[in-house]
Each structure stands twice: as structure tokens, then as C-alpha cells.
Amino acid sequence: MTETCKSCHDPLTLVLDPEESDSEEETVPDDLLLPCGCHYHWQCLVDESSTITATLTCPSCNSYLPSNNPSSSSASSSAPQPAPTPIILTHYTNEGGVQPSLDIYPTLAEESFLSTHPEARAARAFHTLVSEGDVQGMVELLKDADSPPSPSSSDDPDSTPLGAEQLLAWRDPLNGGRSALHVALEARQEEAVWLLLWLGSGARRADFPDAVVAAGQAMGLPRLRGEGLGSVPVRVEEEDVRFVRDERGRTAADVCLELGPPWTRLVEGGLFS
């Protein structure tokens, strides 16, 4: 008997858009096999994210899914240790091939979080741009964040979009509470680091290299803290990005010291004072 999706009970395939296929109807595999033996379409399982992350069980057969024990912590230290993140290893077959040991839990955790915090989607997208060093994309997203929303722009009328200042200081609960500046430093994206400091810190203009100041002015970027970005004035309510701490208690200066040269020079020069 051919397996079907435990959620929608349809065959474990997807129909391609006719514009993307040479034939009228072409299908590709979409088979996500859980450790318990149940099969799902990728999206069907993602739609169950909140239930799975809360119970760590299969929505169909209620089998326990993690291959590790996320409720345990190390007993070798007297200090309390965070519980390990669950690992749910799946076997996924799609158009791109086979992924035999795909940990699906990070995806489920993200979708579960975003379903209850839709305002964080822009912040997660901003952190992705930061990690890639996409400065132009960062600027565009920040400007969009401080543009007045249109009445039809939000899918969830109860969610409040994050403004530019909030995006700059936002701590990602799915990534150890890191801010955008933590992410930029750990990815060694120098241009992104300087942009975040220019827009989101109270550092003196004299602390910035001439090239950074010139680039900021050429891009029409005023100092965001107190000056605003674009036509919308910004109130300085969010924390200076230099002093935002992640879940380990680290500021940007701490990350610089961990990275070593040349990043330690930023600390030694007084930029984070």
C-alpha cells in the first residue's frame, strides 16, 4: 500500500505549477518521514509546529520523537545548565533529492514561535540580512519598518510591527538572545557591524572611520538614535546596540574579545565605552 500524508491523506507528492513544467501536470516527491514511521508533506508537518514543539510527539500516533533527552541537564556542574535542544531526525525526500538525517526541530521551533509572534518575522529576516552582510537590504528593511503601515499591509491586525529602533536592538530567542550586532560580529561582516553602530548606538561620530561616515552620508543615513530614518521621527527608547546582552550575558564588546584581532581593536579604541 502506497503511503500517504498522515495529515491530509493525499499522496506524498507536490504538483508543479504548469508555468514551471513542460507538461500540464508534473509531480515531485514531498515525503517527510518521522522517526515513528509516519509520513507527512513538509508543509503539513510545519502546520503542526506548535503542537509538536509543545508535546514532542507525533500528531498522528503520539510517539515520542526526539532522539536525545531534552529534559536532562549535566550533573557534573553545580550551576544549573540549560536543557539540551531536542533533536528530531527525519528522512526527507523532495525535488532536490534525499536528506537522510534532517533535524526538523529548528524549523518547527521557528514556525511555532512566529505563529505566536508574527511581528518577529521582520526581525528574523533582518538578522539573516545582517549575517549575509547585505547592507543595502538592511537599510531597505529598516526604512520599511519606519514607514507608516497601510491599512491592508498586516495579515494580523492584532500584531504591532517592530520599528527600526526595535529591530536594531531585538534579541533573537531562537538564537541565544543574540542581537543583530552579535550576529554581524560572529559572521565577521564588517560593513554590517559599522552600519549597526552608526544607526543604533550613541557612539561619538569621532569613533567612526572617515570612510564609514562618508558612506553613511552618501546613503542618506542619519544617526538613527534621536535623528530618525527617513521621514518618520524615532524616539530613543530601545537600548544602545553596544550594550544589548545575549542569553550568555555577552555584549558586543565581549564578542569582539572572543574573536580576537582585528576585532579587539574596536574595544581597545573605546568604541564600546
Side-chain angles (χ1 to χ4, degrees):
M1 178 178 177
T2 303
E3 294 285 354
T4 58
C5 175
K6 288 293 186 180
S7 178
C8 68
H9 307 295
D10 287 339
L12 294 162
T13 56
L14 290 177
V15 179
L16 291 179
D17 189 318
E19 295 182 358
E20 301 178 1
S21 173
D22 296 332
S23 60
E24 291 187 1
E25 184 174 297
E26 181 179 349
T27 61
V28 294
D30 183 34
D31 182 357
L32 186 62
L33 174 61
L34 297 186
C36 57
C38 293
H39 294 255
Y40 287 86
H41 292 118
W42 177 276
Q43 189 58 51
C44 287
L45 190 75
V46 168
D47 289 343
E48 300 282 355
S49 295
S50 296
T51 298
I52 299 173
T53 55
T55 65
L56 298 179
T57 60
C58 172
S60 176
C61 69
N62 294 319
S63 295
Y64 185 72
L65 297 175
S67 59
N68 62 338
N69 184 1
S71 64
S72 67
S73 60
S74 175
S76 60
S77 172
S78 58
Q81 300 294 315
T85 301
I87 297 173
I88 300 178
L89 296 178
T90 65
H91 188 283
Y92 184 44
T93 306
N94 66 356
E95 185 179 9
V98 178
Q99 300 179 65
S101 298
L102 175 65
D103 181 6
I104 194 68
Y105 184 81
T107 298
L108 298 177
E110 179 177 14
E111 288 300 319
S112 177
F113 173 76
L114 293 177
S115 69
T116 54
H117 300 86
E119 73 284 354
R121 289 189 182 275
R124 295 276 293 175
F126 184 64
H127 280 209
T128 297
L129 294 171
V130 169
S131 69
E132 297 170 351
D134 186 349
V135 170
Q136 188 59 47
M138 292 166 59
V139 171
E140 292 175 0
L141 196 154
L142 290 170
K143 286 183 176 180
D144 288 344
D146 268 351
S147 298
S150 63
S152 60
S153 62
S154 175
D155 295 330
D156 183 358
D158 295 325
S159 67
T160 302
L162 300 179
E165 281 257 328
Q166 293 170 305
L167 288 175
L168 290 166
W170 186 76
R171 300 165 69 248
D172 187 355
L174 299 179
N175 189 25
R178 290 171 173 81
S179 70
L181 187 54
H182 288 96
V183 171
L185 285 167
E186 292 182 340
R188 293 171 171 79
Q189 297 289 357
E190 185 174 0
E191 289 187 14
V193 168
W194 283 116
L195 176 63
L196 294 167
L197 290 169
W198 177 259
L199 294 176
S201 81
R204 300 170 303 168
R205 181 169 295 215
D207 292 329
F208 292 88
D210 292 341
V212 173
V213 176
Q217 293 174 340
M219 296 177 71
L221 300 177
R223 301 295 300 280
L224 183 55
R225 291 180 62 80
E227 294 182 26
L229 184 65
S231 60
V232 181
V234 176
R235 295 176 298 174
V236 183
E237 297 176 341
E238 298 301 317
E239 189 174 359
D240 187 312
V241 296
R242 295 173 297 173
F243 311 126
V244 175
R245 294 183 180 273
D246 65 12
E247 291 178 358
R248 292 167 53 190
R250 302 180 307 163
T251 64
D254 296 322
V255 176
C256 287
L257 295 176
E258 290 179 4
L259 293 175
W263 302 98
T264 50
R265 290 204 297 266
L266 300 180
V267 180
E268 294 163 356
L271 182 61
F272 295 102
S273 300

